[in-house]
């Protein structure tokens, strides 16, 4: 079961002594959190993948790899230490991880499922060489036509928002490459970062999110795409489509203790990724100068650490099953039947 205090809903802010955190000591506090979560963060400049260059706007360097591994832990905190929600077979055989990044999800899955052969694909060969014997990684672009030699029982993808040009086509390829009865699960973040009250209005962080949305539209990407996954999966022909929504607080503003901890982690996650999220999109696409970018991000860092701003990341987990037989998915006239067991947890 999912933690009830993490599933989407109203989050009560902590109205205690917020100034104890948001003060002149905020930088020291943030560095202390970063140190405890990451041990160390090395600033060696930014590096981007070479394969299909330009399709993915976020760096692949060591700093980003550390952030991705920390983000993996945030997902585990969110999902009650589970790697997935889909009700897959405990003896699942063939598993595909799209955009595997550092490979941490694929490695953990392979460790937990000795029966599985896990394949992780990514644009960057940044995965470790010491991996479980039932796990392997390949350099591949999931937006190109798939040419896998076998069908999969489970296809997983996480944090692909902004890197998918055509979500429906991606789901169609997944559908065609799943074995009958196989499952797909998407775990993603949807823009914009938002607040359920007016505390984000007029802030630099709101301005940045508006620019994110605008820049993504200009390159044919939909920042709000994850909130359409459920509908698109159904349209492609998947059944048993389920959507679970979470909120990642932007800092420790919630009153709930667990959400407060989650917000601490996500604050560091955001601060460490902020320049990487922004640089290419805002300078190369929107035409901002480096000075303009740095000035905006400096103001955003203050907003991100400010517990008076009740911002959160919308997180969407959508999973669905390919029908066991053709008769399960088609009416007599050949049209697709929408998912037979849709709902929200």
């Amino acid at each position: 079961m999912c933690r009830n205090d993490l599933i989407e809903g109203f989050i009560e802010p902590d109205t205690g002594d917020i100034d104890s955190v948001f003060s002149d000591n905020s930088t020291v506090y943030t560095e202390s959190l970063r140190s405890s979560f990451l041990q160390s963060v090395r600033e060696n400049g930014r590096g981007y993948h070479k394969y299909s260059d330009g399709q993915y706007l976020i760096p692949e360097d060591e700093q980003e790899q550390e952030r991705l591994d920390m983000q993996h832990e945030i997902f585990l905190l969110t999902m009650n230490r589970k790697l997935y929600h889909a009700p897959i077979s405990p003896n699942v055989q063939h598993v595909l991880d799209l955009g595997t990044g550092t490979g941490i999800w694929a490695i953990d899955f392979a460790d937990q499922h000795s029966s599985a052969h896990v394949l992780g694909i990514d644009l960057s060969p940044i995965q470790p060489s010491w991996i479980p014997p039932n796990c392997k990684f390949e350099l591949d672009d999931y937006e190109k036509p798939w040419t896998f030699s076998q069908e999969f029982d489970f296809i997983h993808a996480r944090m692909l928002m902004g890197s998918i040009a055509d979500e429906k086509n991606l789901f169609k390829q997944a559908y065609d490459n799943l074995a009958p009865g196989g499952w797909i699960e998407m775990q993603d973040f949807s823009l914009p970062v938002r607040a359920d009250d007016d505390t984000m209005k007029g802030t630099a962080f709101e301005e940045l999110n508006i620019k994110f949305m605008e820049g993504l539209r200009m390159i044919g990407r939909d920042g709000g795409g994850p909130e359409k996954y459920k509908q698109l999966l159904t349209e492609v022909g998947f059944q048993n489509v389920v959507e679970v929504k979470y909120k990642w607080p932007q800092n420790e503003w919630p009153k709930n203790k667990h959400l407060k901890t989650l917000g601490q982690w996500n604050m560091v996650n955001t601060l460490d990724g902020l320049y990487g999220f922004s640089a290419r999109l805002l300078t190369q696409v929107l035409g901002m100068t480096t000075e303009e970018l740095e000035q905006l991000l400096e103001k955003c860092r203050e907003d991100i650490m400010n517990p008076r701003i009740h911002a959160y990341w919308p997180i969407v987990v959508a999973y669905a099953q390919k029908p066991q037989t053709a008769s399960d998915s088609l009416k007599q006239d050949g049209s697709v039947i929408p998912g037979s067991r849709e709902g929200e947890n």
Side-chain angles (χ1 to χ4, degrees), residues 12 21 29-30 51 57 127 132 134 195 207 242 248 273 284 302 305 329 335 337-338:
E12 183 180 0
V21 174
Y29 171 75
T30 304
Y51 183 60
L57 300 170
Q127 300 77 35
N134 58 330
E207 178 185 350
V242 176
W248 285 1
Q284 296 182 17
E302 296 179 4
M305 294 187 292
S329 61
S335 60
I337 298 176

Side-chain angles (χ1 to χ4, degrees), residues 32-102:
S32 176
L33 283 173
R34 180 179 291 107
S35 177
S36 67
F37 296 153
L38 299 178
Q39 301 301 317
S40 64
V41 174
R42 291 170 288 175
E43 300 284 350
N44 293 327
R46 309 320 313 256
Y48 297 83
H49 65 81
K50 296 180 180 179
Y51 183 60
S52 296
D53 185 27
Q55 293 192 25
Y56 189 60
L57 300 170
I58 299 177
E60 54 138 42
D61 53 24
E62 290 186 10
Q63 180 180 342
E64 175 64 8
Q65 292 172 40
E66 290 179 330
R67 188 194 69 81
L68 289 173
D69 285 349
M70 178 175 64
Q71 191 169 253
H72 176 72
E73 176 62 23
I74 299 176
F75 266 102
L76 292 178
L77 286 171
T78 303
M79 297 173 59
N80 198 25
R81 311 306 301 179
K82 294 180 180 179
L83 293 173
Y84 54 90
H85 282 331
I88 64 173
S89 167
N91 298 315
V92 62
Q93 297 295 306
H94 297 288
V95 178
L96 175 64
D97 186 29
L98 303 174
T100 194
T102 64

Side-chain angles (χ1 to χ4, degrees), residues 160-322:
L160 300 189
M161 186 277 296
S163 65
I164 309 173
D166 186 341
E167 291 91 346
K168 192 168 185 177
N169 181 66
L170 178 67
F171 294 160
K172 180 65 167 60
Q173 292 214 82
Y175 186 97
D176 292 341
N177 284 266
L178 276 169
W183 291 85
I184 181 175
E185 178 160 322
M186 304 292 294
Q187 303 172 6
D188 223 327
F189 153 59
S190 186
L191 281 170
V193 176
R194 63 199 69 167
D196 290 334
D197 54 22
D198 62 358
T199 55
M200 197 168 165
K201 291 182 178 180
T203 64
F205 197 38
E206 181 185 50
E207 178 185 350
L208 179 65
N209 275 269
I210 292 171
K211 290 185 181 297
F212 279 158
M213 298 290 284
E214 179 184 356
L216 288 171
R217 280 194 297 269
M218 290 175 66
I219 60 172
R221 308 297 168 90
D222 184 1
E227 292 172 278
K228 303 173 186 175
Y229 286 169
K230 180 181 178 181
Q231 174 187 342
L232 294 175
L233 288 165
T234 301
E235 290 177 1
V236 166
F238 284 100
Q239 294 183 339
N240 302 329
V241 183
V242 176
E243 179 187 69
V244 184
K245 292 184 177 181
Y246 298 100
K247 294 178 179 180
W248 285 1
Q250 188 57 86
N251 55 53
E252 64 170 13
W253 65 262
K255 184 175 182 180
N256 177 276
K257 183 177 180 180
H258 192 93
L259 289 171
K260 185 183 291 291
T261 299
L262 193 64
Q264 291 175 337
W265 281 79
N266 194 38
M267 182 178 71
V268 177
N269 178 46
T270 308
L271 292 173
D272 282 357
L274 189 63
Y275 186 85
F277 299 155
S278 310
R280 273 190 166 182
L281 190 63
L282 270 63
T283 59
Q284 296 182 17
V285 179
L286 294 181
M288 292 183 68
T289 66
T290 301
E291 289 184 356
E292 290 171 337
L293 173 65
E294 290 289 1
Q295 290 173 0
L296 177 59
L297 295 187
E298 185 60 31
K299 295 177 182 177
C300 287
R301 292 184 184 100
E302 296 179 4
D303 292 342
I304 289 166
M305 294 187 292
N306 186 351
R308 297 186 186 93
I309 298 175
H310 304 150
Y312 63 88
W313 289 25
I315 301 295
V316 178
V317 177
Y319 59 91
Q321 185 179 31
K322 181 175 179 176

